[in-house]
Amino acid sequence: MPSSVMPTPTPQPVPGQGNGRAAPAAITAAGLRKSYGDKVVLDGVDLAVPEGTIFALLGPNGAGKTTAVKILSTLATADSGHAAVAGHDLTTHAHHVRAAIGVTGQFSAVDGLITGLENMLLMADLHHLPKREGRRIATELLERFDLTHAAGKPASTYSGGMKRRLDIAMTLVGNPRVIFLDEPTTGLDPRSRHTMWQIIRALVADGATVLLTTQYLEEADELADRIAVLNDGKIAAEGTPDQLKRQIPGGHVRLRFTHPDTYRAAVTTIQVATRDDEALTLQIPSGGTQRELRAILDWLDAAGIEADELTVHTPDLDDVFFALTGTTAAPAPAPTTRNQESAR
């Protein structure tokens, strides 16, 4: 899905704001359904995204992530269901929704034949901004995204990370309150990916709401306040990253021994462990809490046994993804592994 900018009239004020009542969620959806022929893509999707947060949609290829973004950004219509974005009904006030959002799709909307600055000014023209204001906003955004040095160069000469930054900068010309990012870091190297994470966090710090789809599990874990796992067109689970991880069993403490005699003594002492006699390791079910870890260490101390290595493994989003989608392949490799801590 290419990036889209949707210039429209200024949105109406959201009812309830400024009178002491809580502002509505930035995005709500109830019972969204969408089919293409006989293929059901969304099958009753419910969402609620609070203002000023990052919400991530995870799911395998074909799960319906991009379709959900297209519907919520008015690029496609649902067959049934109801949704509102920035306080505006998607069906009856789509033009107000468009005025409040920005969309950066999987495929860049950057025109490689013109310069970075010209791309920005084109977006300003599409938003019907006065020439002076459009140039001011374009210059400020190019500086904010560290593109000033390349502003006069054709965008075709930009690196992948630079094009992605320019793409998002173009999305921000209209100062959107809700931003949809469809796989914003796909194809970027780890350094560029981390730079993009900083940009996304800064957007939310400035008051925006971000809904992103991603195939990088670590990315969702790093960025998202809440995550929904979409599978076969339905929300399989939703919650904070920690809440989702707690739903999945499989946490354990792994003890590794060098000497067979020490290993055999540990097997006798800790009988609840899963043994690996070839690797001389024991795997003990554990939620990774301090109390459980202390109990294991107490068992070892009482028996005079010292493990050569202790590793605590807590369920991560890989485990969540596999358990909820029934797949045996992760959607994308994580650049680093952060869920294991080792003590020697």
Side-chain angles (χ1 to χ4, degrees):
M1 182 179 73
S3 303
S4 302
V5 177
M6 306 170 184
T8 53
T10 303
Q12 301 290 325
V14 178
Q17 288 187 345
N19 58 8
R21 286 185 289 171
I27 302 169
T28 59
L32 288 185
R33 287 179 168 81
K34 181 69 176 180
S35 298
Y36 294 100
D38 295 333
K39 172 66 174 177
V40 178
V41 181
L42 297 180
D43 189 11
V45 169
D46 300 331
L47 293 173
V49 181
E51 289 183 346
T53 64
I54 300 174
F55 190 95
L57 271 180
L58 283 180
N61 289 332
K65 302 185 299 295
T66 295
T67 299
V69 169
K70 284 184 175 181
I71 291 173
L72 293 172
S73 59
T74 77
L75 294 174
T77 57
D79 296 333
S80 61
H82 174 268
V85 177
H88 304 297
D89 185 275
L90 212 59
T91 302
T92 60
H93 294 93
H95 57 300
H96 292 322
V97 172
R98 296 186 191 109
I101 68 173
V103 183
T104 298
Q106 293 181 26
F107 307 107
S108 174
V110 171
D111 187 338
L113 299 178
I114 59 178
T115 68
L117 176 59
E118 289 168 339
N119 271 279
M120 296 293 292
L121 294 177
L122 175 61
M123 292 300 103
D125 287 342
L126 290 174
H127 280 280
H128 307 295
L129 297 178
K131 292 292 184 181
R132 181 175 297 179
E133 182 182 359
R135 181 167 289 274
R136 177 185 62 79
I137 291 174
T139 301
E140 290 177 354
L141 286 170
L142 287 169
E143 182 177 357
R144 176 179 176 182
F145 286 85
D146 193 24
L147 292 169
T148 301
H149 65 287
K153 298 178 181 178
S156 59
T157 65
Y158 287 16
S159 67
M162 292 171 66
K163 286 180 180 177
R164 208 55 173 153
R165 297 203 307 276
L166 178 59
D167 208 7
I168 294 182
M170 291 163 60
T171 299
L172 298 183
V173 168
N175 193 28
R177 292 153 50 196
V178 178
I179 302 170
F180 295 94
L181 302 178
D182 196 9
E183 300 189 11
T185 65
T186 296
L188 298 185
D189 60 74
R191 183 182 298 277
S192 296
R193 184 175 300 126
H194 280 266
T195 298
M196 192 60 60
W197 291 356
Q198 294 172 356
I199 290 171
I200 293 170
R201 291 189 184 104
L203 294 176
V204 175
D206 288 342
T209 301
V210 173
L211 186 149
L212 67 88
T213 72
T214 180
Q215 294 199 39
Y216 295 112
L217 299 176
E218 186 199 21
E219 182 162 274
D221 205 0
E222 283 281 341
L223 291 176
D225 298 293
R226 293 185 68 81
I227 295 170
V229 180
L230 193 60
N231 189 46
D232 290 334
K234 298 180 180 180
I235 299 295
E238 181 186 338
T240 67
D242 286 342
Q243 287 172 341
L244 293 178
K245 293 172 192 175
R246 285 197 295 268
Q247 294 181 20
I248 306 301
H252 61 267
V253 173
R254 180 178 178 271
L255 303 176
R256 186 183 64 81
F257 301 88
T258 300
H259 301 291
D261 290 343
T262 308
Y263 169 71
R264 284 191 290 269
V267 169
T268 303
T269 302
I270 307 176
Q271 299 182 0
V272 297
T274 300
R275 301 168 51 173
D276 185 335
D277 293 340
E278 290 187 6
L280 300 182
T281 62
L282 296 178
Q283 185 171 299
I284 306 163
S286 170
T289 65
Q290 181 178 342
R291 178 179 298 179
E292 290 173 317
L293 184 57
R294 185 182 294 116
I296 295 171
L297 295 175
D298 288 344
W299 285 343
L300 296 174
D301 287 341
I305 298 170
E306 183 174 344
D308 294 284
E309 183 181 278
L310 182 151
T311 304
V312 179
H313 175 95
T314 56
D316 57 17
L317 286 184
D318 287 51
D319 301 314
V320 173
F321 185 89
F322 297 151
L324 295 176
T325 65
T327 183
T328 57
T336 59
T337 300
R338 295 169 54 89
N339 66 296
Q340 291 190 347
E341 300 176 41
S342 297
R344 296 181 184 271

